[in-house]
Every structure is written in C-alpha cells, then in structure tokens.
Amino acid sequence: MPTKILRIGLIGAGMAGQAHAFGYRNASMADPLRGVQVELAHVVDAFAPLAQDVAERYGFEKWGSSVDELLADPSIDAVSVALPNNQHVDVLTKVLASGKHVLTEKPLGLDGSQASQLAALAADPARKGTVDAVGFSYRRIPGLAALRDAVAEGAIGEILHFEASYYSDHAADPAVPFTWRFEASTSGGGALIDIGAHALDAIEFVVGPVREVQGANFATYITERKDATGTVRPVTNDDAAAVLLVAGRNAMGVLQTSRVAYGRPNALTLTVFGVRGSATFSTEDFNQFTIHLAEGDPRFDGPRRVITGPLHGAYSDVSSFRSRGVGTGYGEAFIAQVQAFLGCIVNGTQMETNFAAAAATMRILDAANEAAATGRAVPVETGAHA
Ligand code: SOE
C-alpha cells in the first residue's frame, strides 16, 4: 500500500518531455522512494496529437493542449516543463503561481534577466516548502558524478585548469530545416545556451562556480536554412562558441561547444587537471571515467579507467541490473533526475540545481555574450550553488 501518491503533469511532449516521462515511469525503483506511487496524470502539448501519442505510450490518464486546464487540477502535485526556450518564462510563471512543485528543462528562459525574474518568483514566501528545479541531467551520470566525488575528496588536489566541451552534429547538415532553435528571438542563443549550458553545469558541478568570463567567441557557419514551407530563413544564433573562463578557487578553463561537429553526435567531455593528478569524463565513454594519480608507480604511469557501478553515486537507484560493467545510459540520467526531484518533494528539501542556481548559469551566458561584444573580461556574480 503506497504511503504517498505523487501525481504528475507534463507540459511539452517533445523529446525532452518524453525523457521526463521516462524518468517518472521508472523513478520508483529508488530505495529512497519506497512507498511513493508516481501517477502520470496529464500531459499537454500545443500539438494535441503528440500529447495523445505520449499519453498512450507512457500511460498518462489525460492529454490535451491546455496548460491552464492542467494547472487548475488540484490533484496534480508536480509539473515537468519542456518547451521551446521562449515559452519557458510565461509558462513557468504560471506554474510557479499554481503552487505546484516544478522541474523544468534548461534553459531558464532566454537570458539572465528572465532567469532572475523566475528565480525571484520561485523564492516567493508563498512557495515555501515547494520545489523548483532545473534539469541538468548530465550531472546525474554515474561517471561524471563519480569524477566529481573524487575531486571533492581531494583525490587530485586543487584544480589548476580544465577544459569542457559539448559537441553535437544535429545541425551539421545545411539541409537540416530551420526551426525555433536557429532564431535568436525564440532560442536566446544557439549551441552555447542549448548544449553549452550542460558543459557549463558540468564545470560548476566539478570545479565550482564560474567567477569570470575572460573572453568569448561565437560563430555561425550555416547562415541560412529552409523552413518546413521551403522558405529560406536567416540563422541568427551561434553554431559554435568558445569561452575562456575562471571557475572554482581560481582555475582557468576553456569551454567549447558546437552543433555542427561532424563525427561527434552527442559528446559532453570534461577534463580537470589538479596538483596531484587529472581526471576525464566523456559521454562517449558513458559508463566510465579516467583518473591519473600523480603518486602512482612511475613504471605504470598513466590514467586509470574506472568502470562505474554500484559503488558510484547515481547508479544503483536507476539500474535494474545492479552490477559493475552493466552500465546505464542517457535515459537513466533522467530517472536519476526525477528521483532527486521527487525525493526533494517527499523530504521537503531543494535540488542543488534550483532556479537560483540556474539563474546564475544563465548570467554566465550573458557574460559570454558581453565579453564577445566588448572584448573585455566580465565578472560573474556566483549563484546559490550547493
Ligand atoms: C538538442 O541540442 C538537445 O536536445 C538539447 O536541447 C538537450 O539539452 C541535450 O541533452 C540533447 O540535445
């Protein structure tokens, strides 16, 4: 007999929304959620047939296209939001006002101003006891979480410098049609806000808050694309970006991101260099990370490959086969993310990636835009990072 029932609404039934639904469908595997029954109550999407398809495939009780109708349902405890970037501020403002717990996909709006506006609404005393979270699912991957734990325990000492990248090839073909992702007014930015944001979060997760953007460069290589009607549209945001930044105590680093990176379909990579070693995680070697400890026997010098498993965080609760070498994938990171979100609801705590922290990440993106425009370094006000 469940001790607690949590009823879920989903706003946005596209790829990211379905990843959230996958997370909710599987979240109850987690020991910390024993006794919690997750019910998929209602999914809405502007394209109602998609909402219906997702409702049928994932098992939502209701489907439709009205956000207001979903938010008016008092039986719904928590809402996931996964919409085009320009829709987040209006919809999230409504969700916050509804008093429901919320887990939204990144980015938190189109820019730092919208993110700060949403963070202020989330901090309203009327929302005391409710959870506001932003989905940075990559930090839930066992290999990256284990690398972070090793750094936090001082395994490689203070971090001196780092490099982070997120490469994708989803827009490398000029024939890829124009969508909202290629228009600055609906996306807030291109590769840097879309996938570079995950690399930024990985930097802040492992190295610490970004304190300054020392320089940035953006590039658009495919300057126009045809939309679904065959109309040629100008691309008004970045295909690729490179950012020079300082994070943590005083670590220097470079972040590179590209959505036109042939041969790298979906690759988030972080390497950190410390005073006593170095470590690397890449989604291209999803279930492992490498670490080099300087004190090792010089005859056997070189990075050690660590295969993640039940000894590493964010593994056991999401893996239905809990043994080393079996591995987890992109979907399980969403299970872990939903488990963390539902756990905060049950325990009355907040996610480390709350709206305040996500607003700080958005301020880094603003600083990168300013640094690129002015050629000058831009300090960043660090956020409420746990
Ligand atoms: C498209 O680039 C996208 O769906 C991103 O928006 C997601 O955040 C990333 O996880 C996968 O690629």
Side-chain angles (χ1 to χ4, degrees):
M1 184 63 183
T3 55
K4 186 169 183 63
I5 293 175
L6 289 177
R7 290 178 54 78
I8 307 299
L10 174 62
I11 301 174
M15 187 204 88
Q18 291 174 42
H20 283 233
F22 177 84
Y24 287 113
R25 279 297 300 257
N26 292 282
S28 55
M29 284 192 283
D31 288 339
L33 292 178
R34 243 176 230 287
V36 174
Q37 181 172 308
V38 180
E39 296 182 350
L40 300 181
H42 195 163
V43 52
V44 296
D45 193 278
F47 183 53
L50 177 61
Q52 180 179 8
D53 173 59
V54 168
E56 290 165 0
R57 286 193 290 122
Y58 286 86
F60 284 85
E61 295 163 15
K62 282 181 70 176
W63 57 271
S65 55
S66 168
V67 169
D68 293 336
E69 183 188 337
L70 183 150
L71 293 178
D73 181 344
S75 79
I76 290 179
D77 303 292
V79 176
S80 267
V81 176
L83 294 167
N85 300 353
N86 66 316
Q87 297 177 26
H88 275 180
V89 67
D90 290 343
V91 169
L92 287 170
T93 298
K94 286 183 178 179
V95 175
L96 291 169
S98 75
K100 298 182 191 300
H101 304 284
V102 58
L103 169 61
T104 182
E105 265 304 305
K106 40 50 74 180
L108 193 60
L110 294 176
D111 55 28
S113 167
Q114 288 191 359
S116 298
Q117 173 191 327
L118 290 168
L121 291 174
D124 186 315
R127 280 190 57 88
K128 185 171 173 51
T130 52
V131 181
D132 54 275
V134 181
F136 285 107
S137 55
Y138 288 84
R139 61 168 58 202
R140 311 283 168 186
I141 297 172
L144 181 55
L147 185 156
R148 188 258 188 134
D149 292 345
V151 169
E153 292 160 21
I156 61 173
E158 181 183 345
I159 305 302
L160 301 173
H161 58 95
F162 60 90
E163 61 185 4
S165 60
Y166 192 145
Y167 296 124
S168 170
D169 65 2
H170 73 78
D173 182 346
V176 167
F178 184 94
T179 65
W180 65 266
R181 286 185 188 279
F182 297 102
E183 165 55 52
S185 64
T186 50
S187 61
L192 187 60
I193 196 173
D194 180 33
I195 50 181
H198 289 298
L200 271 181
D201 182 64
I203 291 166
E204 298 213 292
F205 181 48
V206 175
V207 180
V210 170
R211 301 188 181 287
E212 182 177 66
V213 172
Q214 294 181 322
N217 201 1
F218 295 87
T220 305
Y221 302 107
I222 302 171
T223 56
E224 55 187 30
R225 295 174 185 264
K226 285 185 179 173
D227 66 17
T229 68
T231 305
V232 175
R233 306 279 295 274
V235 173
T236 56
N237 59 21
D238 47 292
D239 286 330
V243 185
L244 188 62
L245 24 73
V246 175
R249 240 168 61 80
N250 191 27
M252 174 183 72
V254 179
L255 182 161
Q256 291 199 71
T257 188
S258 169
R259 63 187 179 192
V260 295
Y262 273 120
R264 312 293 297 276
N266 195 60
L268 169 71
T269 303
L270 175 68
T271 298
V272 289
F273 296 93
V275 294
R276 291 197 302 278
S278 62
T280 293
F281 167 77
S282 176
T283 54
E284 292 179 316
D285 295 303
F286 208 90
N287 288 286
Q288 60 185 290
F289 71 100
T290 62
I291 188 166
H292 176 74
L293 302 173
E295 290 88 5
D297 181 332
R299 292 174 301 153
F300 308 126
D301 208 11
R304 177 187 309 160
R305 188 162 64 98
V306 178
I307 307 297
T308 55
L311 291 177
H312 302 105
Y315 182 94
S316 294
D317 287 341
V318 300
S319 172
S320 37
F321 303 92
R322 300 177 181 176
S323 61
R324 276 171 13 107
V326 167
T328 64
Y330 182 81
E332 280 86 353
F334 282 86
I335 298 175
Q337 180 170 272
V338 164
Q339 287 172 341
F341 175 54
L342 299 182
C344 288
I345 293 173
V346 170
N347 302 323
T349 54
Q350 277 294 354
M351 295 262 279
E352 68 273 19
T353 56
N354 62 5
F355 277 31
T361 304
M362 291 296 283
R363 286 195 289 271
I364 301 166
L365 300 174
D366 286 358
N369 288 320
E370 183 181 340
T374 63
R376 285 197 299 271
V378 179
V380 178
E381 175 205 333
T382 57
H385 288 266

